[in-house]
Amino acid sequence: MVVPGAVDVLLVSLGSTVGLREADAELAGALRRAGASVAVVAAARPRDVRTFALTDLSWALAARRAAVRGLAAHAPRAVLYSTVTAALLGPRRGAIRFDAPAADNRPGRHGVWQRPLERRRLREATVLAPLSEAGLATVPRPHAAAVVVPIPVEPSGPLIPPERRDLVAVTYAADPRKKGLNRVLAAWRAVRRPEEELVVAGLAGADEPGVRYAGRLERPAYRDLVRRARVFVIAPRREDHGLAQLEALADGCVLATTPAPGPYAALPIARRLDARTVSDDLGAAIRAGLDGVAPDYAGRARAALAPYTHATVDRTVREVLLPYLLG
């Protein structure tokens, strides 16, 4: 029997950050281009609480409420939970989309109730859809069948040769603690030359010699800023994916980074392009990127990002993920 308003896929979006919401919109678009009808329901942001364990519980309950509403309204053939947290208390078995398992970044008491439930959900899911092979490698075994489906990353415009770029360096610091802004600034102050300037995007602050704060920018303006810079500098405490770094590489920007833990998708790419730009000595990595990076860095970076193009991701969704979802 056909249920009025029924859809092929219900996407339950945690939507706790702008990046997650954008990634969910990309995935919903790919599913629709593959011929599926898709409804998206988003968890309502809960109030702030004091611990990671309570935060995860609040978001999991919010996602469950959204899923219950979506199931009643859309009678979907398949459910796809975006993030493991969204799936923890899901009312129906479904697929799970994630960058990394929550247990991987919730040590000790911070993950005391999540870990056993997470293992069960990852084992019993209809299919897993991690963003990267590195993210999948962190999932405890046994687990459900998996299809790696990256977030699409494309250049924001024509490639600008290094000699024509009018900005020396840029960093992204919407979450300054997570992105290691203090370490970026310390390294920059130690190695910059008098005429060189670092632009800090995503955060307002007090300018200083050699450092300018651009504040929060609309996405096109931010991508244009990165495309004009020679080096993208970052020192994350932990990186579960690193979309900003992948976008910087797509725009021909040299990535100078610390080797952060986590399924950091851009890290192996950066090492292959020029290993000197990945170092715990971030100042040395910055100077390597500015003073003599390996030949044809930008062209090789774009080639390395071929698996992340819309065309490649759409093909994976159409030919592999959607058949798993709809059986």
Side-chain angles (χ1 to χ4, degrees):
M1 180 178 69
V2 178
V3 179
V7 298
D8 293 318
V9 181
L10 176 69
L11 176 58
V12 181
S13 171
L14 196 70
S16 54
T17 66
V18 172
L20 273 176
R21 293 191 292 273
E22 291 179 349
D24 290 344
E26 285 278 7
L27 181 58
L31 287 164
R32 290 179 181 123
R33 289 189 293 274
S37 55
V38 182
V40 180
V41 292
R45 177 175 287 277
R47 65 182 179 85
D48 291 338
V49 291
R50 295 183 62 181
T51 68
F52 283 132
L54 283 176
T55 296
D56 288 347
L57 179 60
S58 298
W59 277 106
L61 286 169
R64 178 183 174 85
R65 289 190 287 268
V68 167
R69 291 194 305 270
L71 289 169
H74 301 290
R77 294 173 61 188
V79 179
L80 174 54
Y81 297 99
S82 178
T83 75
V84 177
T85 300
L88 286 176
L89 301 178
R92 174 173 148 185
R93 178 171 173 254
I96 305 176
R97 166 84 156 170
F98 62 93
D99 51 13
D104 201 41
N105 53 32
R106 295 287 193 262
R109 63 184 176 82
H110 295 297
V112 66
W113 73 270
Q114 305 98 309
R115 286 192 297 272
L117 184 56
E118 178 180 65
R119 287 194 295 269
R120 179 180 169 187
R121 292 290 181 258
L122 292 168
R123 184 175 64 250
E124 297 178 350
T126 55
V127 67
L128 304 181
L131 300 185
S132 66
E133 291 287 354
L136 178 60
T138 64
V139 175
R141 293 182 178 275
H143 58 69
V147 180
V148 174
V149 183
I151 300 172
V153 178
E154 300 276 5
S156 64
L159 191 62
I160 301 175
E163 65 274 11
R164 289 178 47 204
R165 295 181 179 233
D166 61 332
L167 300 177
V168 175
V170 66
T171 189
Y172 179 70
D175 185 336
R177 182 174 182 274
K178 182 177 179 181
K179 297 304 182 184
L181 179 61
N182 59 334
R183 290 186 288 174
V184 169
L185 292 176
W188 179 251
R189 290 166 183 146
V191 303
R192 82 172 188 92
R193 291 172 183 157
E195 72 281 3
E196 294 175 336
E197 183 178 69
L198 170 73
V199 179
V200 180
L203 182 73
D207 294 351
E208 62 180 83
V211 179
R212 174 166 58 89
Y213 288 82
R216 294 189 180 274
L217 301 168
E218 293 296 322
R219 191 155 189 78
Y222 166 73
R223 291 297 303 272
D224 179 67
L225 192 76
V226 172
R227 195 162 59 93
R228 293 162 49 205
R230 291 166 56 197
V231 173
F232 184 92
V233 188
I234 201 156
R237 296 169 60 86
R238 172 189 167 83
E239 194 58 88
D240 288 327
H241 187 59
L243 181 60
Q245 292 93 308
L246 291 170
E247 290 176 338
L249 290 172
D251 279 331
C253 205
V254 175
L255 174 57
T257 181
T258 52
Y264 187 171
L267 194 61
I269 298 174
R271 281 190 169 124
R272 290 197 304 270
L273 294 171
D274 191 328
R276 298 172 303 156
T277 67
V278 178
S279 175
D280 287 314
D281 184 349
L282 185 59
I286 292 169
R287 289 269 44 111
L290 290 174
D291 296 341
V293 76
D296 194 26
Y297 185 102
R300 291 185 296 116
R302 286 199 170 181
L305 290 175
Y308 294 87
T309 64
H310 276 96
T312 302
V313 174
D314 278 2
R315 184 167 59 251
T316 300
V317 169
R318 181 179 65 253
E319 297 179 0
V320 187
L321 179 62
L322 192 57
Y324 263 116
L325 291 174
L326 302 184

